[in-house]
Amino acid sequence: MQMFQLADTQLIQSPLNYTGGKYKLLPQILPLFPKEIDCFVDLFCGGCNVGINIDSKRVIYNDVDEHLFYLFNTFKNLDKDVIFELIFKIIKDYDLSLVCEHGYDYYHCESGKGVGSYNKERFLKLRDDFNHHKQEDYYYYLMLYVLIVYAFNNQIRFNAKGEYNLPVGKRDFNKKMQSKLSDFIDRLHRQDCRFTCVSFTDFDVSALTNRDFIYVDPPYLITCATYNEQDGWNEDHEKELLHFLDELNSKGIRFALSNVLRSKGKENTILIEWLSNKKYKTHHLDYGYSNSNYQTKDKQTKSEEVLITNY
């Protein structure tokens, strides 16, 4: 079996700081993928770190988060110059900081403390306008992107009412953020790709063949990440997903599953028991989420991260 080879081209990082993103694991994950892929399916695409770096004929990005679906479609459908023009217009209209142009002294702020004190009221005004914006058009989703850029840890979080509710962060639309977005849009525009927004249980695999490949990066059952709050992913979902993977295997469709077997004193017994009765391969990866945004007292304890494949 020929495996995926890391391309000479630069690895692209998502413009979103998405919890559980796999960018840092790409050098370990990509060589374990099949070399020849017709259609690559990023079933829980999140920030799209994996799919954006795949060399395949086609890519399907899927996620149940409609905000992601429409935001990424905005990046795909609009010209890059138009995207940046609108982003800078929003920043200017709300008088948000742009340290890369004016420096910290201009905003009476220091690099160590960031620009949160300057941006706070302006950010809250943008957040309120976004939450009450009636028309969910391209401008609306670029408002969302600017919110993410200026929010705490550049995260995405909505409350039960569907309102974006993160507080202001320390940083702004710096050169690094601009570069990540620019590179991401360029790569996205070159790809033959499309976005879908359905549960994995409703994803149509009927047209897929043994030339295609599904990458599966679900919420991790035994972590306490933001996406796992309020019973967002439970044991029933885990069992459904593992049954879905068995169905893929029975159809001869290749898959790879990212997950953790053990993390911070917890065990995913459902996954471990499932593996004990299968002939799937388990590849152990060298990475812990010690520098992620999980709220935990024991940030140095590594998770037992694995990639499970049926080929």
Side-chain angles (χ1 to χ4, degrees):
M1 169 68 68
Q2 287 185 313
M3 294 298 167
F4 189 96
Q5 298 296 313
L6 280 173
D8 293 332
T9 54
Q10 172 193 2
L11 288 177
I12 300 297
Q13 188 171 3
S14 172
L16 306 182
N17 184 23
Y18 202 80
T19 303
K22 291 296 182 290
Y23 178 74
K24 290 184 178 179
L25 279 173
L26 288 177
Q28 294 181 67
I29 289 177
L30 294 183
L32 296 172
F33 285 178
K35 187 176 181 180
E36 301 292 336
I37 303 172
D38 283 356
C39 180
F40 178 86
V41 178
D42 203 344
L43 193 61
F44 296 79
C45 70
C48 300
N49 275 304
V50 179
I52 201 69
N53 287 292
I54 288 298
D55 182 17
S56 61
K57 293 180 180 178
R58 292 174 291 119
V59 177
I60 299 174
Y61 296 96
N62 180 72
D63 202 281
V64 293
D65 189 328
E66 287 190 354
H67 294 102
L68 285 179
F69 172 76
Y70 288 112
L71 179 57
F72 284 130
N73 268 302
T74 298
F75 292 155
K76 177 175 172 56
N77 294 334
L78 286 185
D79 182 82
K80 186 173 72 172
D81 290 340
V82 173
I83 292 172
F84 274 86
E85 181 181 334
L86 288 173
I87 288 172
F88 283 118
K89 181 181 187 305
I90 293 167
I91 292 170
K92 182 178 180 181
D93 287 349
Y94 286 88
D95 195 25
L96 293 162
S97 70
L98 202 59
V99 170
C100 62
E101 285 193 8
H102 302 292
Y104 283 99
D105 289 345
Y106 182 85
Y107 302 106
H108 306 289
C109 295
E110 300 174 6
S111 175
K113 294 181 180 179
V115 286
S117 59
Y118 173 83
N119 283 323
K120 182 178 179 181
E121 295 304 319
R122 297 163 173 82
F123 174 86
L124 292 177
K125 170 63 175 168
L126 172 60
R127 191 180 73 178
D128 187 64
D129 287 354
F130 171 80
N131 286 331
H132 292 91
H133 197 79
K134 299 300 182 184
Q135 189 173 358
E136 296 185 6
D137 50 13
Y138 288 142
Y139 183 81
Y140 171 84
Y141 285 102
L142 290 178
M143 288 176 74
L144 172 59
Y145 176 72
V146 174
L147 276 175
I148 294 167
V149 167
Y150 284 79
F152 176 73
N153 280 339
N154 309 125
Q155 293 287 297
I156 305 171
R157 191 180 72 191
F158 290 83
N159 62 22
K161 297 180 181 179
E163 298 170 333
Y164 189 87
N165 67 346
L166 278 169
V168 70
K170 294 171 59 176
R171 305 300 172 197
D172 62 16
F173 195 42
N174 56 41
K175 291 297 185 182
K176 183 177 179 181
M177 296 284 285
Q178 294 175 34
S179 178
K180 284 201 296 186
L181 179 60
S182 178
D183 292 344
F184 184 87
I185 292 171
D186 287 343
R187 181 72 61 89
L188 195 64
H189 285 183
R190 290 199 302 268
Q191 276 189 338
D192 179 2
C193 66
R194 64 186 176 94
F195 291 85
T196 58
C197 187
V198 297
S199 166
F200 72 90
T201 56
D202 297 322
F203 188 85
D204 184 8
V205 300
S206 62
L208 299 180
T209 72
N210 61 5
R211 298 280 302 171
D212 304 319
F213 177 63
I214 299 185
Y215 174 64
V216 185
D217 183 24
Y220 291 173
L221 184 64
I222 59 174
T223 67
C224 53
T226 304
Y227 52 53
N228 225 17
E229 293 173 352
Q230 301 177 347
D231 205 28
W233 186 266
N234 56 37
E235 292 186 357
D236 289 337
H237 295 132
E238 189 84 356
K239 291 174 182 176
E240 278 186 307
L241 178 61
L242 298 180
H243 176 72
F244 173 82
L245 295 177
D246 286 336
E247 289 292 306
L248 291 180
N249 188 62
S250 70
K251 298 176 187 297
I253 299 172
R254 298 169 296 178
F255 71 76
L257 167 68
S258 279
N259 218 306
V260 291
L261 300 180
R262 298 169 185 85
S263 177
K264 301 173 179 63
K266 297 180 180 180
E267 274 194 346
N268 187 334
T269 54
I270 294 172
L271 180 60
I272 292 170
E273 182 178 343
W274 177 73
L275 283 172
S276 68
N277 297 314
K278 307 295 177 185
K279 295 182 179 179
Y280 304 144
K281 293 181 181 178
T282 302
H283 309 268
H284 291 262
L285 306 176
D286 182 21
Y287 184 69
Y289 286 98
S290 57
N291 52 351
S292 73
N293 296 308
Y294 295 5
Q295 298 301 312
T296 174
K297 294 179 181 178
D298 185 13
K299 291 194 175 185
Q300 298 306 314
T301 304
K302 285 190 175 183
S303 299
E304 192 176 340
E305 184 102 22
V306 293
L307 188 76
I308 298 162
T309 64
N310 68 334
Y311 49 87

